[in-house]
Amino acid sequence: MSENISTLVDAFLEHLKYAGGRTDNTVINYAVDLSQFVDYLLGEGIEDVRGIDQSHVRGFLRELLAYGYSKSSALRKMSSLRSWMKFLLQGGYITSDPSKNVRGPKEPKRLPRALAYEDVKSILEKGPSGKNKVRDRAILELLYGGGLRVAELVALDWEDVDMEERWLRVKGKGEKERLVPMGRFAQGALAEWQRLSGKNSGPLFPGEDCERIAVRTVHRVVARAARRVGLVGVSPHVLRHSFATHMLEGGASLRVLQELLGHQSLVTTQRYLKISYDQLKKSYANAHPRGRDEGNV
């Protein structure tokens, strides 16, 4: 390793440990990441930090991905590299940051976990409490029962509800409307809320200080109900994802889910849903003529 580069890497690591107050594990991670980058540079014939340019940063990133590193790992290594470059720039060792305009790989959006049905059932049945118990149960039943986005729930009016036929007219993204069926539990919870509120027109869930309930209030309703049954990290979107997953496991097609979720593209639905390994194995065993167990043929 070039003395010039190795000395500056060591100086940076010392800075992290003593001036930056980083933990030993953090410093070790930085050391590993920068060692890989320096090895790449030496392979490219670069022995002086002043010779590093954007092509080397991009080349290092491509090499990481080519060697099978995940996007999240590559992003972490890029973060280590950027921190070193900032150190070099501030110390006057380089005059410009070669990593400045290099974009790392876009990390795929992580889907929320899908709750087990028994956990969802506990939230719906045991979570609502206090003076707003009836309203909160209606909110929870609609979020899970219809797979609604929180903004869609907030925008609902009583005129959008057909209690007898059990339909909701939902305004999705781009003001696109769709019909969503309402299960009997949601119908019952909504009927009880209607009796208590005495309303049959206007916002389904009015706010205390404004016309409609606030999005943040709905988030609090869900989080509080989940905490009461011992669950944390539950949001309206977790209920939506649980709805979609449970529908899929129950045999619903992706086309049906696309319509229910209000996705314009089936690709979005496919990315949104995660089929469990057991469900895939079960579907294969039931559908493929050579996939069934011998005893079931």
Side-chain angles (χ1 to χ4, degrees):
M1 182 183 287
S2 168
E3 184 64 21
N4 177 278
I5 294 181
S6 64
T7 299
L8 291 175
V9 168
D10 289 343
F12 173 63
L13 296 176
E14 289 291 308
H15 169 77
L16 287 178
K17 187 173 183 179
Y18 296 107
R22 305 298 178 90
T23 65
D24 289 342
N25 284 339
T26 300
V27 175
I28 289 172
N29 287 335
Y30 273 92
V32 171
D33 296 342
L34 293 175
S35 175
Q36 288 179 306
F37 182 53
V38 173
D39 285 343
Y40 172 81
L41 291 175
L42 294 178
E44 295 294 307
I46 304 299
E47 298 183 353
D48 190 305
V49 292
R50 291 172 296 182
I52 304 172
D53 60 29
Q54 286 186 2
S55 68
H56 300 120
V57 178
R58 291 193 176 97
F60 176 61
L61 180 59
R62 285 195 298 269
E63 188 167 283
L64 288 174
L65 297 174
Y67 273 107
Y69 282 95
S70 67
K71 291 181 178 180
S72 58
S73 293
L75 284 170
R76 193 203 74 206
K77 293 179 185 295
M78 283 292 293
S79 177
S80 298
L81 191 155
R82 292 183 198 279
S83 295
W84 184 47
M85 291 298 170
K86 183 179 180 181
F87 171 80
L88 295 176
L89 193 61
Q90 290 176 342
Y93 300 105
I94 57 178
T95 57
S96 62
D97 182 356
S99 69
K100 183 177 180 180
N101 295 317
V102 178
R103 293 184 178 180
K106 184 178 291 186
E107 191 169 10
K109 292 183 179 179
R110 296 181 182 274
L111 292 172
R113 73 188 190 281
L115 299 175
Y117 173 66
E118 290 304 316
D119 287 336
V120 174
K121 185 178 179 183
S122 293
I123 292 173
L124 300 181
E125 296 180 357
K126 302 175 184 177
S129 180
K131 66 176 183 177
N132 292 317
K133 179 179 179 179
V134 174
R135 181 203 68 179
D136 292 355
R137 174 166 284 119
I139 287 174
L140 294 167
E141 288 285 0
L142 288 179
L143 285 172
Y144 173 69
L148 303 184
R149 300 179 178 96
V150 63
E152 294 171 345
L153 176 101
V154 168
L156 284 173
D157 293 326
W158 282 108
E159 290 85 351
D160 298 321
V161 180
D162 187 330
M163 294 288 282
E164 185 175 343
E165 296 295 331
R166 291 191 285 143
W167 285 103
L168 297 172
R169 186 171 69 246
V170 177
K171 302 177 186 70
K173 290 184 177 180
E175 294 298 312
K176 183 179 179 181
E177 291 188 355
R178 69 184 188 278
L179 290 178
V180 175
M182 180 171 50
R184 293 193 181 278
F185 287 101
Q187 179 194 39
L190 199 54
E192 188 177 0
W193 167 238
Q194 187 175 40
R195 285 193 295 271
L196 181 65
S197 66
K199 303 286 186 180
N200 56 19
S201 64
L204 202 61
F205 300 106
E208 294 182 1
D209 301 320
C210 55
E211 183 184 13
R212 297 182 186 277
I213 191 172
V215 168
R216 62 180 179 275
T217 301
V218 177
H219 277 270
R220 284 198 292 265
V221 167
V222 174
R224 280 199 302 261
R227 283 197 299 269
R228 289 192 187 103
V229 297
L231 297 171
V232 295
V234 180
S235 67
H237 197 57
V238 169
L239 293 181
R240 175 173 160 88
H241 186 59
S242 300
F243 158 84
T245 301
H246 297 164
M247 287 288 294
L248 182 68
E249 291 175 347
S253 70
L254 284 175
R255 289 291 181 187
V256 168
L257 282 168
Q258 178 188 2
E259 183 66 27
L260 290 175
L261 293 170
H263 289 158
Q264 292 189 3
S265 169
L266 186 60
V267 173
T268 306
T269 310
Q270 290 171 322
R271 290 175 179 172
Y272 185 86
L273 300 175
K274 180 180 178 182
I275 307 173
S276 69
Y277 173 77
D278 289 340
Q279 180 66 17
L280 280 174
K281 189 175 180 181
K282 180 180 177 181
S283 297
Y284 172 79
N286 290 335
H288 198 282
R290 301 287 285 182
R292 304 184 185 92
D293 294 333
E294 290 296 326
N296 295 329
V297 176

